[in-house]
Amino acid sequence: MSTNSAAATSSNSSRVKSLAITAICLVLVYVFTSVVNIRLPFAPNGGLVHLGNVPLFVAAILFGKRTGMIAGGIGMGLFDLLSGWTLWAPFTLVIVGCMGFVVGAITEKRKNMGFIVLALIAACAIKIVGYYFAEVVIYGNWVVPFTSIPGNLIQIGVAAVITLIIIKPLQAAAEHTILKKA
């Protein structure tokens, strides 16, 4: 086998592995969003708290900004399309995709707790601002979207705490298995 052929095989294998990881993460985001969710009684527009941000954050931290963006945006956008929140799907695709990209970009080179916390705070800001303006567009009102902010804070806060608890053991496991260099 020539050097070029071996390099091409390795490159193809790496791409297949990356595609498979991204697809699994996307499915996990969708499942955690659809199975573990609670409608908020205090949000007039229906508000939803779910755990889909946990696999989104884990995917972005472990596998990078591309996987975080695709898994988050498409996973939660798919949930919106299939669960009656169809109007929200384009907004979710962009907002949550940005959240995954930013978390992955911040933690790409530095995976210590300080940078992970910074990344989760950035994701929270993107969610709050993004969905505020999405609601302004959808409802044509600048005041009502403020009522969704507490639910968004709860959603990201719960996901951040869970992520901070599980990320180090998952990082160690991934480094010994999935991320191991051949």
Side-chain angles (χ1 to χ4, degrees):
M1 184 184 297
S2 72
T3 305
N4 288 341
S5 178
T9 301
S10 176
S11 177
N12 286 341
S13 175
S14 178
R15 277 185 251 170
V16 169
K17 184 177 179 180
S18 177
L19 179 63
I21 288 169
T22 301
I24 290 166
C25 291
L26 188 156
V27 169
L28 287 171
V29 169
Y30 172 77
V31 169
F32 274 61
T33 304
S34 62
V35 173
V36 187
N37 66 56
I38 302 164
R39 283 188 181 257
L40 295 174
F42 58 83
N45 300 322
L48 186 70
V49 173
H50 58 77
L51 292 182
N53 291 300
V54 174
L56 160 64
F57 295 154
V58 169
I61 293 165
L62 294 182
F63 306 114
K65 59 191 172 199
R66 183 177 174 275
T67 295
M69 177 180 68
I70 294 169
I74 295 175
M76 284 192 207
L78 189 59
F79 166 78
D80 285 351
L81 285 174
L82 299 175
S83 65
W85 298 78
T86 310
L87 186 59
W88 292 91
F91 297 103
T92 296
L93 178 70
V94 172
I95 295 165
V96 180
C98 286
M99 288 169 55
F101 184 87
V102 168
V103 170
I106 291 172
T107 60
E108 201 164 51
K109 302 243 188 287
R110 298 177 190 101
K111 297 193 185 297
N112 65 44
M113 277 299 185
F115 279 93
I116 292 171
V117 169
L118 175 65
L120 298 177
I121 291 169
C124 184
I126 292 167
K127 182 172 199 80
I128 300 295
V129 172
Y131 279 108
Y132 174 83
F133 285 109
E135 285 192 44
V136 167
V137 170
I138 289 171
Y139 299 116
N141 184 308
W142 290 89
V143 177
V144 172
F146 283 111
T147 62
S148 296
I149 292 174
N152 288 333
L153 288 170
I154 291 168
Q155 186 180 113
I156 295 297
V158 168
V161 168
I162 293 169
T163 300
L164 291 171
I165 291 169
I166 66 172
I167 196 62
K168 287 301 177 185
L170 289 176
Q171 274 180 311
E175 287 170 7
H176 293 309
T177 56
I178 300 168
L179 299 175
K180 191 176 196 178
K181 301 287 185 217

